[in-house]
Amino acid sequence: MENILQQLTRVLEERKNADPDSSYVAKLYDKGLDGILKKIGEEATETVMAAKDGDPEKIIYETADLWFHCMVLLANQGLKSDDVLNELARRFGLSGIEEKASRNKS
């Protein structure tokens, strides 16, 4: 059974071929990378503001928006949520200090 991230990844891929007048995601793709990045910036700011307000429902809502738009970015770049999940799995069990140090050696 597909999980929600896999389902969303599939739908985002399908929307690449949709008419921008019929789909919000297709409209984002039509705006190109800069439009997608702008939307991510807006959603990140709204997530920060929700956290500052301390309202758990708003934090969840805004984080969902941020994740969604990050997934649009991934799809736009030919990537999938599984790519991010695999990276998180790779990092699991590493301290943040070790992980950052491993990036600086390359």
Side-chain angles (χ1 to χ4, degrees):
M1 183 167 134
E2 276 186 317
N3 70 37
I4 191 64
L5 292 178
Q6 292 167 331
Q7 290 176 43
L8 187 52
T9 296
R10 183 178 41 77
V11 170
L12 293 175
E13 200 59 38
E14 291 169 2
R15 291 303 192 303
K16 286 182 176 180
N17 301 314
D19 179 354
D21 292 330
S22 69
S23 163
Y24 172 74
V25 172
K27 193 173 292 192
L28 281 173
Y29 289 140
D30 193 52
K31 291 180 180 180
L33 182 60
D34 286 344
I36 295 167
L37 295 175
K38 180 180 177 189
K39 192 63 184 171
I40 289 172
E42 290 170 12
E43 297 302 341
T45 299
E46 290 172 5
T47 302
V48 168
M49 291 168 54
K52 292 289 275 181
D53 289 344
D55 180 342
E57 287 183 26
K58 283 173 65 177
I59 295 168
I60 291 167
Y61 183 88
E62 296 301 344
T63 300
D65 279 353
L66 178 58
W67 286 11
F68 174 82
H69 288 89
C70 286
M71 289 185 68
V72 172
L73 169 66
L74 290 172
N76 186 67
Q77 298 296 303
L79 301 167
K80 296 181 166 72
S81 58
D82 282 349
D83 297 321
V84 176
L85 294 174
N86 289 336
E87 176 59 16
L88 289 171
R90 183 193 70 79
R91 294 180 187 187
F92 192 78
L94 287 177
S95 80
I97 294 170
E98 290 172 329
E99 197 283 323
K100 273 190 128 174
S102 73
R103 285 188 277 162
N104 292 332
K105 290 179 183 175
S106 340

